[in-house]
Amino acid sequence: MKYSKEIRTGVVVIVAVLLFIYGFNFLKGKDIFATSFDLYAVYDHVDGLTANNTVQINGFKVGTVRDVQMDPVTNKIVVHFIITDEDAIITKNSSAEIFSDGLLGYKAIRLYILPNRPPTIDGDTLFGTNETGLKDQVSEMVLPLKRKLESLVSSVDSVVTVFNTLLGDSAQTDIAESFSTIRTALGNLQRTTYRLDTLIASESAKFSDIMTKIQLITTNLAANNDALTRAMNNIANITDTLAQSNLKTTIDNTNKTMIEVAAVMAKINSGQGSLGLLVNDPKLYQDLTRTNLDLDTLIRDIKAHPKRYFSVFGRKN
């Protein structure tokens, strides 16, 4: 009985030690009963990655970070992690990226598996990469803006230099004179506007009368629309009648008559015919004038002494 009690105590102590070891490793992310293999990755910086951080594939936990150490030769950070998921197939030349898992900045490793490659073996080293952090993203976004601002500041400096060069004493005087001219022009424009307003106010009655008369005219035109329509129809009928009449023949006959009259006048002017001789021969005109005078004298003598002429006719009978 005495030995059995000591044995039970020893068994309890051993079990407690084993449970302590298992619990301690479990808290450290190690499962002493699970099959696993070790992998490594080398980084320039780990951004706060520590032991017991998770290793994931597509967001699923497949392992745990065992420890993080610095290589004293290269000053690189060597991360040792184990893959505890038996179904996870890690191929060679895959990459292990450190990223922020959650809003609190908890770090983890994300494995990017390359397809159609042979699987890794225990102790292989993967390519270590770092996710672009928020600070780096902001820096990348701000960098183009910073460059544009620097270019803008340089351009502004150039413009200021040009203005300082151009705006010398003479240029400032010219600008002052230009502003003075503009002020005078604005004053003239203001006076012109005032005069125009005064003119419109004084002539508004005439404008109103003109508009009234225009309205009366349009009213009369609207009232006499039928009469105007009939008049326009009559004019159209007259023009149609003229178009249908033998106006061309009449005009041709008139032209022919005018040509003949011109020919007669040409003959008269050239002295052809009796009328031409009468018009163009001054001697004939003078003879006719003298004959006319003689006839006039004879008629006057007959009127003055009728018996002289009638007695002569009576005696002859």
Side-chain angles (χ1 to χ4, degrees):
M1 293 294 294
K2 181 177 179 181
Y3 291 102
S4 62
K5 183 176 180 181
E6 293 176 351
I7 293 172
R8 288 197 297 271
T9 303
V11 171
V12 170
V13 171
I14 292 172
V15 170
V17 171
L18 292 176
L19 289 175
F20 174 77
I21 295 172
Y22 177 80
F24 179 76
N25 285 278
F26 179 80
L27 292 176
K28 293 180 63 177
K30 299 178 182 179
D31 189 358
I32 60 177
F33 297 106
T35 59
S36 62
F37 61 94
D38 299 329
L39 293 175
Y40 297 89
V42 180
Y43 302 91
D44 292 328
H45 55 86
V46 293
D47 298 328
L49 182 72
T50 58
N52 299 325
N53 289 148
T54 61
V55 178
Q56 303 176 9
I57 297 178
N58 296 330
F60 180 75
K61 179 181 178 181
V62 295
T64 307
V65 176
R66 176 61 59 86
D67 57 18
V68 179
Q69 296 180 355
M70 176 179 287
D71 187 349
V73 178
T74 61
N75 289 328
K76 300 285 186 179
I77 308 298
V78 179
V79 177
H80 175 204
F81 55 91
I82 59 175
I83 304 300
T84 58
D85 192 330
E86 297 179 355
D87 296 329
I89 299 176
I90 314 300
T91 60
K92 291 184 178 294
N93 297 327
S94 297
S95 61
E97 180 186 63
I98 298 176
F99 72 103
S100 296
D101 187 15
L103 297 177
L104 298 179
Y106 176 79
K107 297 297 181 179
I109 293 179
R110 180 191 295 123
L111 298 180
Y112 289 99
I113 308 301
L114 295 179
N116 302 324
R117 300 291 179 89
T120 57
I121 60 176
D122 187 38
D124 280 347
T125 302
L126 305 180
F127 291 105
T129 60
N130 296 83
E131 181 187 42
T132 302
L134 180 61
K135 179 179 178 181
D136 296 331
Q137 294 178 1
V138 173
S139 299
E140 291 179 358
M141 295 174 62
V142 172
L143 183 59
L145 180 60
K146 178 183 177 182
R147 292 175 179 173
K148 290 182 179 179
L149 288 176
E150 291 176 351
S151 177
L152 179 60
V153 170
S154 178
S155 300
V156 170
D157 291 338
S158 300
V159 171
V160 171
T161 303
V162 171
F163 270 102
N164 289 331
T165 303
L166 293 177
L167 296 180
D169 295 335
S170 60
Q172 292 178 2
T173 303
D174 294 338
I175 292 175
E177 292 177 355
S178 299
F179 277 109
S180 178
T181 304
I182 293 172
R183 190 181 299 108
T184 303
L186 291 176
N188 294 333
L189 180 61
Q190 183 177 5
R191 287 191 294 272
T192 303
T193 304
Y194 175 75
R195 292 174 182 175
L196 183 60
D197 292 338
T198 304
L199 178 61
I200 292 174
S202 61
E203 299 296 331
S204 59
K206 293 182 180 179
F207 290 153
S208 178
D209 185 46
I210 292 172
M211 295 302 296
T212 302
K213 291 180 179 179
I214 292 174
Q215 185 176 3
L216 291 174
I217 292 172
T218 55
T219 303
N220 292 331
L221 290 175
N224 297 288
N225 185 36
D226 295 336
L228 290 173
T229 302
R230 288 194 297 273
M232 295 301 294
N233 291 331
N234 293 334
I235 293 173
N237 292 330
I238 292 171
T239 55
D240 292 339
T241 303
L242 290 174
Q244 296 174 1
S245 64
N246 198 6
L247 184 61
K248 184 176 183 301
T249 304
T250 303
I251 293 174
D252 292 339
N253 293 333
T254 303
N255 290 333
K256 183 178 179 181
T257 303
M258 294 299 294
I259 292 171
E260 292 176 353
V261 170
V264 171
M265 292 301 297
K267 291 180 179 180
I268 292 173
N269 291 329
S270 62
Q272 298 179 11
S274 300
L275 185 58
L277 293 173
L278 180 62
V279 173
N280 294 285
D281 191 356
K283 184 176 181 301
L284 180 58
Y285 173 75
Q286 293 173 2
D287 291 340
L288 289 174
T289 301
R290 285 194 299 272
T291 301
N292 187 30
L293 291 175
D294 291 341
L295 288 173
D296 184 60
T297 303
L298 178 60
I299 291 172
R300 288 179 183 177
D301 187 63
I302 291 172
K303 287 181 180 181
H305 307 91
K307 292 180 178 182
R308 181 186 300 173
Y309 298 96
F310 289 107
S311 61
V312 173
F313 293 124
R315 292 175 186 173
K316 184 176 181 179
N317 291 333

